[in-house]
Every structure is written in structure tokens, then in C-alpha cells.
Amino acid sequence: MSRKQKQTMNMIEGSLGDKILRFAVPLAITGILQQIFNATDVAVVGQFAGKNAMAAVGSNSPVVGLMVNLFVGVSLGANVVISRFTGQRNPDGIRRGVHTAVLVALITGVLVAVFGVLISRPMLELLGVPASIMPMALAYLRIYLLGMPVILLYNFESSIFRSQGDTKTPLLCLIAAGLLNVALNLFFVIVLNMTADGVATATVISNTVSSGLMFLVLCRTKTQIRIRFRDFRIDRGILKVMLQIGLPAGLQGMVFSISNLCIQSALNSLGPDVIAASSAAFNIEIVAYYIINAFGQAETTFIGQNSGARKPERCRRVIRIGLVQDLIFTALLCAGIIWFAVPLLRLFNTDPVVVHYGQIRIVYILSFEVINALIEGFSGVLRGFGRSLAPALVALFGICGTRIFWVFFVFRNHPDFKLLILCFPISWAITAGILILYYLLIRRRLFAGIAPAGVH
């Protein structure tokens, strides 16, 4: 077997169950490790700089998500485009897609950094971040946003590797950078007595290392995704398709972030203890989401390649196998996290009030996380077929609409933490129902559109 064959996965032939696992598990581990490394930001400041610094970092999560998710969605568009060219065995299309994706990442990263820094203070003020933590929260956000070019580059490079079935290279690069992030967190906070600004600086440096390592691999690989500086240009046709698929996916991610901004604003009104507890719980519960997201991206990539190869029956099998595996893994992980919720929360902060509120959030959200798995699974399926707008619109009304309504009409009249957290499972249930119904209505058209010539 050649080196090229070893580094790529044949998604259009052979077995599927083991390949989906080989694709999704490293991707899930990558996301989980990334979150663990990111959680050290919260844990280090919580243990060594106090719960106000911890709350300052946590209050930024929805803002960062809003800035990042749009362009992470565009990177999914790059994944689908390059996957289709791979299924069609079109090396020229792969080359143009790779170079377009890298340039888009760098250009948009600079634009987001500049724009984000300019609006950072008004954004935090709009969220009602308490005055006691505003200086630390603002410093964290501005430093983080300055790192957006390398953060987006990492996501686009990861999409390029995933389009070839390679989820191990991003994982290895992340491990190296993540260990550096932990060491720098401890150095900046304990040795240099920095607070939120220290962990933000560590995050930017570690993201620079991870994106730089993957860039070197792309420059040296012998496969079709190799980067050559003479080929750097944006292909308008490819960019158009990337945006057609990626922008709706990005908007779907932004919808989650916008609704979470409203929820964060409501949490901020409940005081620093609730903010700190919610931040700690989020950094634990999000691990389950990375399992969900990994299988969703597996379905997007496998369907992208097999629809490009015009293999509808194989796409059907991807959907069935991917969804079953996703639900099983998600349920098992959520049960484990709920069981060990208290000791996990104490890793972030030992204050009994913080632990109490954090446990409430974990139980209320993870008990229903399998519903979210259905949303990500069917969204991934539809994106693989090039249908990204529908999941985005469904999320807009089902997720964003429900949560905003809940914050402004239910929570406002009954400002209770448990009542606020209930908006997560309720919005998931509404969105999943609509999305599954939509898929069932258009299923025949999706498969008819990729049937081999002469097959009806």
C-alpha cells in the first residue's frame, strides 16, 4: 500500500461501520481534548485567580462562539466541496478547493479580528457583564479575537484533512498545541500573576502552533491536498459553492450563539456564582456535544463523497449507521458525566454554591442531549447532500426563536436558574421534530438527484 493510500480513507467502497467509527472517534477525541485544553483556562483562573476571573472567562463563551461559528460553517462547506471532488476523482478540483479554503481562512480571520476588537466592549455591555468582572472579561475577549486568523486557519485545515478521511493529523497537532496551552496557562497565571488575559494569551499561542503544524504537513504531504505557494488563489466558482453550503451551516451555528447570548445575559442577571457555575458546567457538558458533532461531520463527509460518486444506496447506509452509532455513544457519555458531575465540577471551583448550580445545569442538559444528536445528525446528512439552508432556517425558528421567547417571556416573569436551563431541551425537541419531518418529506428527491444515469 502506498503512502498516499495510507493517509486517506476510501469512503466510496468497502465497509462503512468501522470506517465511520475510524473517522468520528479521532474527530470526537480532537474536540474533547480541545475542550479540555480550553477548560484549563477556566480551571486555572478558578483555582489560582478566583471565581471572578473564572466568571470573566466564562462570560465570553457566547461572544466567542458568535464570532467563530459563521466561519467554522464555511469550513464545513470546504469539506463538502473537497469531498465531492474526491468522490469524483478530480485532483484539479481538490487542488483548487484546498488553496481557496486556506486563503479564505486567513482573510476572514483578519477581518473578524479587526471587527471583533472594535465591538468587544459594546458587546459585553449589551450582555450585562457585571462591572466587577468587566475589565478582565474585556481583556480576555480582545486578546482572543486577535488570534482569530490562526484559529480559523486551524478549522479550515482540519476540514481539508477530514475531506480525505484523515482525522488523526488534526488530533496529533492539537495534542502538541494543547499541552503547550496547559503549560502556558500555569506559567502566565501562577508565575506572572496574570488573570484572564494570561489564559487568553496562552490560547492564542497554542492555536498558532496547531495551525502552523498542520500547514507544514499540508506543504509536505504527497497526497492530493498538498499546498504549493504558486497555486494560492481564490477560485470564484469553488468559493461560491463553499459559501452556498457553508454560510447556512455557519448561520446555523450563529443561531445557537445568538440564542446563547440571550441566555448568557439572563445568567449574568443571577450574579457571579451562577455565571461561574454555568461556565464550569458548560466546559464539562460540551464534551458530549463533540461526540454528536463528530458523527454529524462524518455523515457530511461520507455522504459528500458518495453523492459525488453517485452511490445513493451507500448514502442510505451512512445515515442509518451514523445515527445509531451517534445515539449510543452520546447516551453512554452523558450518563457517565452526570454520574461524576460533582467531582468534575470541583476541578474548576470548590465553592459549594458554584458546584450546586453547576450540577443542576449538567443534569438538566445532558439528560436530553440525545435529542441534540438527532439535530446534528440530520443537519450533517442534509449538508452532505448540499442542503444547508433548511437546517439553518429550522434552527433559526426552533432553537433561536424558542430560547429568545423563553428568556424574554418565561424567565423574565420567573427569574429562576432551573427554569432558564429548561429552554435547552425544549428548543431541541421542537427543532428535532421539524428537521426530521423535513428530511422525510424531501428524502426521495435527495436520492433521486444522485442516482446513476439511467437509474430511476
Side-chain angles (χ1 to χ4, degrees):
M1 183 178 290
S2 69
R3 181 181 177 183
K4 175 180 174 180
Q5 289 173 316
K6 288 180 181 179
Q7 292 185 4
T8 60
M9 181 185 294
N10 187 348
M11 298 183 180
I12 61 176
E13 295 174 331
S15 60
L16 278 172
D18 60 323
K19 290 180 180 178
I20 292 174
L21 281 177
R22 280 164 44 206
F23 181 100
V25 171
L27 182 57
I29 294 172
T30 300
I32 292 170
L33 285 177
Q34 189 172 31
Q35 186 57 38
I36 290 173
F37 293 140
N38 290 341
T40 62
D41 294 358
V42 180
V44 169
V45 294
Q47 294 290 348
F48 300 104
K51 62 184 179 183
N52 277 358
M54 180 180 171
V57 175
S59 66
N60 276 293
S61 297
V63 182
V64 170
L66 182 65
M67 295 291 181
V68 172
N69 281 337
L70 175 61
F71 299 102
V72 170
V74 178
S75 76
L76 289 176
N79 182 354
V80 174
V81 169
I82 299 171
S83 293
R84 285 181 176 175
F85 283 133
T86 303
Q88 295 166 2
R89 304 188 189 277
N90 183 345
D92 180 63
I94 295 172
R95 176 185 59 80
R96 290 183 288 120
V98 166
H99 290 83
T100 297
V102 172
L103 280 179
V104 167
L106 291 172
I107 293 170
T108 54
V110 171
L111 294 176
V112 173
V114 173
F115 178 71
V117 169
L118 290 175
I119 68 166
S120 54
R121 180 180 284 276
M123 182 68 75
L124 292 178
E125 289 175 347
L126 182 65
L127 283 174
V129 172
S132 59
I133 64 173
M134 174 62 83
M136 288 186 289
L138 185 59
Y140 178 91
L141 182 58
R142 285 177 171 169
I143 295 170
Y144 189 98
L145 290 172
L146 288 174
M148 288 305 294
V150 293
I151 292 170
L152 294 190
L153 180 60
Y154 172 83
N155 284 285
F156 275 78
E157 289 170 331
S158 296
S159 287
I160 292 169
F161 284 107
R162 286 197 299 270
S163 72
Q164 306 301 294
D166 180 4
T167 52
K168 292 181 181 178
T169 298
L171 172 59
L172 295 174
C173 293
L174 175 72
I175 290 173
L179 293 173
L180 175 64
N181 183 48
V182 174
L184 289 175
N185 277 336
L186 295 170
F187 175 74
F188 288 139
V189 174
I190 298 176
V191 179
L192 300 185
N193 293 317
M194 299 172 73
T195 58
D197 56 339
V199 295
T201 303
T203 297
V204 172
I205 293 172
S206 62
N207 272 285
T208 302
V209 170
S210 60
S211 60
L213 287 172
M214 282 201 288
F215 190 85
L216 287 175
V217 175
L218 286 171
C219 288
R220 296 181 179 182
T221 182
K222 301 301 181 182
T223 66
Q224 298 176 106
I225 58 173
R226 183 176 183 178
I227 285 178
R228 297 177 176 84
F229 286 93
R230 66 176 183 269
D231 291 332
F232 269 123
R233 62 182 60 86
I234 292 180
D235 185 295
R236 292 184 180 180
I238 287 178
L239 177 60
K240 180 180 178 181
V241 178
M242 281 185 184
L243 294 177
Q244 285 175 342
I245 298 172
L247 274 179
L251 290 172
Q252 183 175 347
M254 286 186 70
V255 162
F256 281 87
S257 296
I258 291 170
S259 63
N260 287 341
L261 283 173
C262 295
I263 295 171
Q264 185 65 49
S265 180
L267 286 168
N268 291 343
S269 70
L270 298 175
D273 285 337
V274 171
I275 298 173
S278 187
S279 175
F282 172 80
N283 279 280
I284 296 169
E285 77 201 24
I286 196 66
V287 169
Y289 174 75
Y290 285 112
I291 293 287
I292 294 169
N293 182 256
F295 282 97
Q297 290 196 40
E299 289 176 287
T300 295
T301 307
F302 275 77
I303 289 175
Q305 283 208 20
N306 284 282
S307 63
R310 305 184 74 84
K311 295 188 174 183
E313 184 53 40
R314 197 167 172 83
C315 289
R316 290 189 180 93
R317 291 177 57 210
V318 168
I319 296 170
R320 291 194 299 268
I321 295 171
L323 284 173
V324 170
Q325 291 180 345
D326 192 0
L327 291 171
I328 292 173
F329 275 84
T330 300
L332 291 175
L333 181 60
C334 288
I337 294 175
I338 291 172
W339 184 263
F340 292 104
V342 171
L344 288 171
L345 286 164
R346 285 176 178 162
L347 294 175
F348 292 86
N349 194 283
T350 56
D351 188 315
V353 177
V354 172
V355 173
H356 170 70
Y357 282 116
Q359 186 180 20
I360 290 173
R361 172 166 176 148
I362 286 176
V363 172
Y364 273 57
I365 288 180
L366 292 190
S367 296
F368 302 95
E369 192 78 56
V370 289
I371 304 174
N372 197 20
L374 294 173
I375 296 173
E376 287 294 322
F378 281 100
S379 294
V381 167
L382 291 167
R383 282 195 290 266
F385 283 111
R387 301 288 189 102
S388 286
L389 183 58
L393 292 176
V394 172
L396 174 64
F397 293 102
I399 297 289
C400 194
T402 300
R403 293 180 185 178
I404 291 175
F405 173 84
W406 196 268
V407 169
F408 286 99
F409 293 98
V410 179
F411 175 77
R412 178 173 290 180
N413 294 321
H414 305 280
D416 177 73
F417 181 61
K418 292 180 180 179
L419 186 68
L420 177 62
I421 298 303
L422 273 176
C423 73
F424 286 98
I426 290 173
S427 63
W428 289 337
I430 293 171
T431 304
I434 298 172
L435 196 59
I436 293 171
L437 179 61
Y438 172 78
Y439 168 76
L440 294 175
L441 290 174
I442 69 162
R443 178 173 51 181
R444 289 186 179 180
R445 276 182 287 165
L446 291 177
F447 291 106
I450 61 169
V455 177
H456 302 283

